[in-house]
Amino acid sequence: MSEAQHPSAPELPTTVAHLNHTAVYARDRRRSAEFLASILGLEVGAPFGPFLPVDLGNGVTLDYYEKRDEPIQSQHYAFLVPEEQFDAMIARLEAAGVTYYADPSHTEPGRVNDLFGGRGAYFDDPDGHNMEIITRPYARP
């Protein structure tokens, strides 16, 4: 079938590579996916095989995959979020009783940073992944 027959078909990348999805290991995929979706103001998608996706709205999904019998290696995930939604995300963390930090080492609890002219905060998900929300991308040399 042609793309014309599939009007919802995603546009293919015109650059070298675009991230499409990544697996996020969790002890309880539903709990972890719902946690992140609730903080970011997103929804959890329908299961896709062994995965439970959280669609980030930019063509990328985090596909939660359950690993119950092995330790979960902590990973870092950073989300560029709209400035006007940042305070609501912080409020959802507070309502959930989740401590957020201004730094990736988690030494400045209850504070946000002001890196690169924006705001940012770090927090742990239920499996110890170090999540980050930022309102401005990092300036790179």
Side-chain angles (χ1 to χ4, degrees):
M1 293 188 148
S2 72
E3 189 173 344
Q5 292 172 316
H6 291 288
S8 64
E11 187 174 322
L12 296 177
T14 57
T15 59
V16 176
H18 286 215
L19 181 64
N20 178 264
H21 67 276
T22 190
V24 179
Y25 296 129
R27 286 180 192 82
D28 180 332
R29 69 181 189 169
R30 175 144 314 271
R31 177 178 176 228
S32 293
E34 287 178 353
F35 168 81
L36 182 65
S38 71
I39 300 303
L40 297 180
L42 302 172
E43 294 186 13
V44 175
F48 181 72
F51 303 104
L52 192 60
V54 174
D55 187 335
L56 300 177
N58 62 348
V60 178
T61 60
L62 296 182
D63 295 338
Y64 280 84
Y65 181 80
E66 212 158 275
K67 286 179 72 172
R68 291 184 179 253
D69 300 328
E70 301 175 47
I72 304 292
Q73 175 65 46
S74 176
Q75 299 293 320
H76 174 64
Y77 299 92
F79 304 95
L80 182 61
V81 302
E83 174 67 42
E84 60 272 8
Q85 293 181 26
F86 186 84
D87 289 331
M89 293 176 189
I90 293 295
R92 289 192 285 267
L93 286 167
E94 290 172 343
V98 176
T99 303
Y100 58 91
Y101 303 84
D103 63 309
S105 299
H106 294 196
T107 63
E108 299 179 59
R111 297 184 58 204
V112 301
N113 65 54
D114 60 359
L115 297 175
F116 307 106
R119 296 187 294 161
Y122 297 82
F123 58 95
D124 282 341
D125 85 340
D127 294 290
H129 295 300
N130 191 13
M131 304 300 197
E132 179 182 13
I133 52 175
I134 55 175
T135 62
R136 295 280 187 277
Y138 288 170
R140 303 201 187 263

